[in-house]
């Protein structure tokens, strides 16, 4: 049964498409939704008739957030580790193994319940698309089941068998890389769209990371990289070299890293003009939670690099599911304007997942939109910590 919905009397509509720059804003607007898609966007005064009408009373409406980096399949939490960090201990990434132990010991239903809880939490905060990674199993069976469970909640699943070398392989990392590229990849690939590696001192060096990503590419997985989070390193340039959709974290960047990202610029048919094929995804929740310096978004933006924002939701280094919180941090701490941050949290996230059906509100796009309890998207950064998401519509369906 066809059923149309007109979202009407929108005071400020962020389309990320044609319209007043930045953000393709339309005022006194309406959005017609048919069969889960945006069918029409324009002025309220000329809106077509629909089966149902949702009057939002002058509120701001924007595309649902696209969170392109999250680790939701895990067990346990690490609140004590957070408290220790806030008391002065540095973050090293070593706590990942704590979560690996708890995850291996959990049942499928326990893992599924955690993903469902966090995915629901994010949805209520306006996140309509969420990438989900494995990476806390680190055995053939545990990585495969992590991805199988993730795939119940998203089509953007990422195989992160190369999150850290598990304790039982600590003395023989080459053997673990062989496992990640061999039987573990074979078991994971049917449930994964992407492959990712934590390329960092203490995790995987550049040769191992390149080998792992190349194996994933060979079986059709897209490439993403955890890069340059804890210090300068080769991860960003490796990602560009391999045509990664995204390099994530980018906290410590050399001029060469920024140049490499900028050199991946391509001309685009879309209205924003050139954009980089490898997106720099910044995860300020991690810097917040590890009390680390924030990445320098302004430097990337000024070089023309496409920037996305994501939560990095995970129990160790960034246990937030709030994209609005990341927007506020990006504006306050990373040199982004509110418009740049909102774009990065919606259309930028879509670019990082190489998707053009989300992150925009233009005809043909998936009808994922968020109604704010505010007259403008500016309030997302202007009123940090306030629950401003009044209503979420996903696939055309009010949630
Ligand atoms: Zn991560």
């Amino acid at each position: 049964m066809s059923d149309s919905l007109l979202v009407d009397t929108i005071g400020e509509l962020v389309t990320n498409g044609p319209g007043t720059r930045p953000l393709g804003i339309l005022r006194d607007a309406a959005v017609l939704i048919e069969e889960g898609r945006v069918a029409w966007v324009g002025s309220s005064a000329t809106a077509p008739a629909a089966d149902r009408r949702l009057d939002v009373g002058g509120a701001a409406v924007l595309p649902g957030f696209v969170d392109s980096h999250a680790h939701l399949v895990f067990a346990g939490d690490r609140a004590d580790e957070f408290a220790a960090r806030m008391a002065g201990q540095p973050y090293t990434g070593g706590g990942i193994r704590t979560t690996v132990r708890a995850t291996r010991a959990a049942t499928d239903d326990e893992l599924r319940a955690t993903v469902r809880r966090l995915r629901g939490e994010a949805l209520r905060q306006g996140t309509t698309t969420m990438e989900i990674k494995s990476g806390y199993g680190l055995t053939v069976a545990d990585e495969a089941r992590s991805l199988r469970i993730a795939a119940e909640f998203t089509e953007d699943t990422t195989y992160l068998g190369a999150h850290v070398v598990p304790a039982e392989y600590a003395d023989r990392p080459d053997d673990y890389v062989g496992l990640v590229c061999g039987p573990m990849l074979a078991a994971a690939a049917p449930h994964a769209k992407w492959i990712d590696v934590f390329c960092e001192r203490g995790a995987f060096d550049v040769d191992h990371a390149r080998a792992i990503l190349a194996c994933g590419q060979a079986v059709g997985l897209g490439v993403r990289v955890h890069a340059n989070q804890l210090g300068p390193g080769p991860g960003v340039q490796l990602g560009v070299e391999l045509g990664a959709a995204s390099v994530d974290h980018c906290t410590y960047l050399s001029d060469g890293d920024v140049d490499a990202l900028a050199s991946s610029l391509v001309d685009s048919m879309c209205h924003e003009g050139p954009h980089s094929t490898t997106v720099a995804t910044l995860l300020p929740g991690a810097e917040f939670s590890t009390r680390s310096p924030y990445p320098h978004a302004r430097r990337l933006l000024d070089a023309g690099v496409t920037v996305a924002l994501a939560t990095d939701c995970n129990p160790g280094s960034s246990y937030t599911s709030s994209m609005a919180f990341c927007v506020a941090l990006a504006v306050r701490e990373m040199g982004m304007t509110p418009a740049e941050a909102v774009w990065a949290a919606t259309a930028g996230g879509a670019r990082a997942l190489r998707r053009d059906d989300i992150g925009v509100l233009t005809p043909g796009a998936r009808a994922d939109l968020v109604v704010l309890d505010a007259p403008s998207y500016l309030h997302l950064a202007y009123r940090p910590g306030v629950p401003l998401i009044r209503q979420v519509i996903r696939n055309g369906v009010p949630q």
Side-chain angles (χ1 to χ4, degrees):
M1 188 188 76
S2 165
D3 178 35
S4 57
L5 170 66
L6 186 72
V7 182
D8 204 359
T9 57
I10 300 167
E12 177 188 273
L13 175 66
V14 172
T15 68
N16 288 335
T20 308
R21 300 189 75 137
L23 300 179
I25 286 175
L26 303 178
R27 308 239 172 241
D28 303 315
V31 177
L32 179 68
I33 298 170
E34 286 175 349
E35 295 177 347
R37 298 268 158 183
V38 174
W40 177 93
V41 173
S43 163
S44 265
T46 60
D51 299 319
R52 289 175 298 145
R53 181 171 173 274
L54 175 66
D55 183 339
V56 302
V61 169
L62 64 151
F65 295 123
V66 178
D67 187 352
S68 62
H69 186 136
H71 308 248
L72 303 190
V73 191
F74 64 85
D77 77 34
R78 282 151 55 194
D80 292 345
E81 184 187 311
F82 174 78
R85 275 202 305 277
M86 295 306 107
Q89 286 184 19
Y91 177 71
T92 62
I96 292 170
R97 286 178 179 158
T98 307
T99 300
V100 169
R101 273 194 300 277
T103 303
R104 288 175 177 176
T107 65
D108 289 10
D109 281 344
E110 287 167 342
L111 296 178
R112 187 175 287 116
T114 296
V115 179
R116 182 176 294 119
R117 174 175 64 81
L118 292 170
R119 184 66 194 90
E121 185 182 282
L123 182 64
R124 290 192 296 279
Q125 297 173 91
T127 300
T128 47
T129 300
M130 204 167 188
E131 180 259 20
I132 303 177
K133 301 176 195 296
S134 68
Y136 293 116
L138 310 187
T139 66
V140 172
D142 286 311
E143 284 298 295
R145 77 164 173 154
S146 295
L147 287 160
R148 213 168 47 238
I149 291 167
E152 295 172 17
F153 296 90
T154 185
E155 57 194 273
D156 282 293
T157 53
T158 301
Y159 167 45
L160 182 59
H163 199 183
V164 71
V165 177
E168 64 273 22
Y169 282 90
D171 300 333
R172 43 194 184 107
D174 289 348
D175 289 354
Y176 186 65
V177 172
L179 182 72
V180 167
C181 291
M184 194 184 282
L185 174 64
H191 313 291
K193 182 172 177 182
W194 303 97
I195 186 165
D196 194 346
V197 58
F198 190 18
C199 182
E200 198 79 44
R201 192 165 298 153
F204 294 87
D205 67 23
V206 68
D207 294 332
H208 281 159
R210 184 186 283 106
I212 290 163
L213 295 172
C215 291
Q217 273 183 316
V219 299
L221 303 183
V223 169
R224 337 184 58 77
V225 188
H226 279 70
N228 302 52
Q229 176 189 4
L230 304 178
V236 165
Q237 295 192 41
L238 175 66
V240 173
E241 171 195 321
L242 296 177
S246 179
V247 288
D248 295 29
H249 285 291
C250 299
T251 311
Y252 293 88
L253 295 182
S254 67
D255 289 345
D257 296 328
V258 177
D259 289 348
L261 284 164
S263 75
S264 81
L265 288 174
V266 293
D267 281 320
S268 155
M269 297 301 290
C270 64
H271 71 284
E272 291 95 353
H275 65 272
S276 56
T277 54
T278 298
V279 173
T281 299
L282 310 181
L283 310 168
E287 279 75 36
F288 177 89
S289 181
T290 58
R291 200 174 270 164
S292 302
Y294 289 93
H296 199 330
R298 185 80 262 141
R299 187 176 168 208
L300 290 163
L301 290 163
D302 288 347
V305 176
T306 303
V307 171
L309 289 169
T311 62
D312 196 17
C313 184
N314 79 83
S317 59
S318 183
Y319 202 8
T320 182
S321 54
S322 170
M323 289 292 283
F325 176 59
C326 296
V327 165
L329 287 179
V331 171
R332 174 62 179 82
E333 304 288 348
M334 292 155 56
M336 296 179 83
T337 66
E340 287 167 340
V342 166
W343 190 93
T346 52
R351 291 274 173 80
L353 295 173
R354 297 238 161 115
R355 292 182 57 168
D356 56 14
D357 60 328
I358 53 175
V360 295
L361 292 175
T362 51
R366 209 168 77 175
D368 291 351
L369 45 97
V370 164
V371 182
L372 296 186
D373 242 335
S376 170
Y377 73 88
L378 291 169
H379 286 229
L380 289 166
Y382 172 49
R383 306 198 64 215
V386 176
L388 292 177
I389 307 299
R390 183 197 298 172
Q391 177 144 34
V392 180
I393 296 174
R394 185 162 183 267
N395 275 329
V397 180
Q399 303 292 303

